[in-house]
Amino acid sequence: MSRIEDVAQAAGVSIATVSRALRGLPMVSAGTRQRVLLAAAELQYVASPTASSLASGRTMVVGVVVPYVTRWYFAHLIAGASEVLRRHGYHVLLFDVGGEGPERPMLLESRALFRRVDGVLVLSLRMQATERELLSNLGVPVVTVGVPGNGWTCVRIDDVAAATRATEHLVRLGHRDIAFLGGEPADGGDFPTPADRERGFVTTMRRHGLDVDPAWMLSTDWTAAGGLAAASRLLRGGRRPTAVVACSDELAIGVLAAARSLGLRVPQDLSVTGIDDHDMAAVHGLTTVAQPVNQQGRLAARIMLHEVAGKEARGSSAGDAGDAGDAVDAGDAVAGAAPGSPNQDGVVEVDSELVLRSSTAPPAVP
């Protein structure tokens, strides 16, 4: 059976170059990569993932933990992270742990992760105490999206600022009777997005001296169906708001459907804003505060690779410089300067921006 040393000798390159070329990593010229591939084919060499892991101390696998894989937001986060990881020769081990429930911690038990991953990405998941302890004890870098804390680097937008932008836009148009449709608050308070977006709305309203009507502060699940049900109740009342801030685009799309079913015109009778810039937002003409979801997934993966490379470089100072050098190559540009500067809380914030479409306008004159 052919060995990697045989391929390196046949191609006239180093073993490290063979490893990089076969894994599709950068820093290998097209001509060199072609020589390596031809030599490997002629020698019928097949790399053993297990042997590579034992030799390098790396598995070339990153665990990605999400509550849902089918929802728009999580699918785009996964796509962004996977794009970067694949480009650097890593595989993704996906853990779809679902919602809350007594059986959920079993999906992240230690045997599923120990010595199988070089790092873990946690994508907008409110972690239970046992899950946080398990990940901390793995001894590998952990990077999160959306949920700061635990000493891990977190990528997220400023949700307070996002809701503030949406509310300010409606106030500047002249709206005074504004309702808020929020996501279901998370128990325990360690998933900040719903509370942060509500706080941005309430603070902005009060700063402008506007009433925050408790009857117009609604919460439901983060779906268009939830938005439809909640907005239908809201808009059937005798006194009706002239505008709604929905804390997600899917909720806002539900509001648009409720208005249509009740014969209300958008934006003449009701202005609606969302947050996210969902793929369907433009189709519905929805004014929204756009957040770069795919970019957040890519940035989290780049930070992960940077931390993996840094961990291996520190390990190499104890006498294993060869493996660490290959790790830095695997990290490519992310192995140098950190991709994004976390603040004192370990958070890397990305920008959001207001996108104006046809769902908002000044309120109609009575």
Side-chain angles (χ1 to χ4, degrees), residues 306-324:
H306 178 81
E307 294 191 5
V308 168
K311 177 176 180 289
E312 293 179 355
R314 291 191 296 273
S316 72
S317 63
D320 194 10
D323 287 342

Side-chain angles (χ1 to χ4, degrees), residues 137-230:
N137 291 338
L138 287 176
V140 300
V142 178
V143 177
T144 69
V145 173
V147 185
N150 305 297
W152 302 328
T153 302
C154 173
V155 176
R156 63 177 305 205
I157 65 168
D158 184 336
D159 287 296
V160 174
T164 298
R165 287 190 181 95
T167 311
E168 284 281 0
H169 168 62
L170 294 174
V171 172
R172 288 172 182 170
L173 287 175
H175 290 278
R176 298 295 178 263
D177 298 326
I178 307 174
F180 179 80
L181 181 54
E184 204 73 67
D187 295 335
D190 53 356
F191 186 67
T193 300
D196 282 353
R197 294 185 181 181
E198 181 175 319
R199 184 163 69 253
F201 170 78
V202 171
T203 301
T204 304
M205 292 285 285
R206 288 175 176 166
R207 185 170 64 249
H208 288 281
L210 302 178
D211 290 334
V212 178
D213 189 336
W216 289 355
M217 298 290 294
L218 305 178
S219 291
T220 184
D221 60 22
W222 293 67
T223 64
L228 171 61

